[in-house]
Amino acid sequence: EDQVTQSPEALRLQEGESSSLNCSYTVSGLRGLFWYRQDPGKGPEFLFTLYSAGEEKEKERLKATLTKKESFLHITAPKPEDSATYLCAVQGNPFKAAGNKLTFGGGTRVLVKP
Amino acid sequence: DTAVSQTPKYLVTQMGNDKSIKCEQNLGHDTMYWYKQDSKKFLKIMFSYNNKELIINETVPNRFSPKSPDKAHLNLHINSLELGDSAVYFCASSRPVTALQETQYFGPGTRLLVL
């Protein structure tokens, strides 16, 4: 069964203080690893998809990287508007039954103080 | 220009009642999903439909019955509501699993509270 563990559960940062979020996963045949941002009372908002080890993607102050066992979401010089819960999810082998489902981790709640 | 929409946004009801949640997507996707987010914020798949055909049913009680009248709509009907059904229910949609990009796009959620 696919499993995703995110750490830390919560992160308090000062504005400008860079940090990294970790997502460890076990999956039988990784189809894709997804990062989402979720604001309170809203649905998850897609950020990135990573498909293979060594891949990196960037968007503004966010950079996601992938290895064979984990992914990191680096937040560089965060601003208060980066405060949110960041969710990591994996999608396994599509040729197995239920291969297109996403298995989510518990999320990391990030609070950036001005 | 809402991509994935859900109604209602909030639902407060008594134990034992039957209720429905509706989902619509205007992204032209073939695959739609229902996820449940519990109080600990874990998002877990419940159902997935591809072109109106059920392809995932993740050990959900049979009080929950999804219905897809067409590929743009996926509704969730819940019979005999229980306290433990209180959660946020998210609808999502994506292109088929065989597509190059299968990013799932989520709706705003329906907050269900069973009293």
Side-chain angles (χ1 to χ4, degrees), chain A:
Chain A
E1 188 174 327
D2 302 344
Q3 287 193 331
V4 179
T5 304
Q6 291 188 247
S7 60
E9 285 188 14
L11 193 57
R12 292 167 67 102
L13 300 171
Q14 285 298 126
E15 185 171 1
E17 178 189 1
S18 302
S19 189
S20 294
L21 284 54
N22 178 264
C23 170
S24 298
Y25 65 90
T26 54
V27 63
S28 54
L30 179 69
R31 175 74 170 168
L33 185 139
F34 299 78
W35 283 98
Y36 286 85
R37 169 192 171 126
Q38 186 175 24
D39 292 301
K42 300 205 172 171
E45 177 189 341
F46 171 71
L47 292 173
F48 304 108
T49 311
L50 301 167
Y51 292 103
S52 57
E55 190 174 359
E56 298 182 351
K57 289 203 175 159
E58 283 189 70
K59 180 180 179 179
E60 296 181 358
R61 294 175 294 282
L62 301 176
K63 179 179 175 179
T65 61
L66 181 66
T67 72
K68 289 187 177 178
K69 293 184 178 180
E70 57 192 350
S71 176
F72 292 93
L73 184 66
H74 308 279
I75 311 179
T76 303
K79 297 183 178 182
E81 52 262 43
D82 295 322
S83 297
T85 295
Y86 291 87
L87 299 170
C88 171
V90 295
Q91 190 175 62
N93 189 326
F95 299 106
K96 292 172 67 174
N100 61 337
K101 72 175 184 180
L102 289 178
T103 300
F104 281 87
T108 295
R109 292 189 314 279
V110 174
L111 176 63
V112 183
K113 297 204 146 191

Side-chain angles (χ1 to χ4, degrees), chain B residues 6 14 19 21 24 32 40 48 51 57 65-66 68 70-72 75-76 83-85 87 89 92 94 97-98 114:
Chain B
Q6 295 178 229
Q14 298 287 330
K19 290 293 179 185
I21 306 171
E24 176 181 1
M32 296 184 73
K40 294 183 180 179
S48 173
N51 268 328
N57 182 341
S65 52
S68 182
D70 56 64
K71 67 179 189 179
N75 303 323
L76 184 64
L83 294 176
D85 298 332
Y89 293 85
S94 74
V97 68
T98 52
V114 182

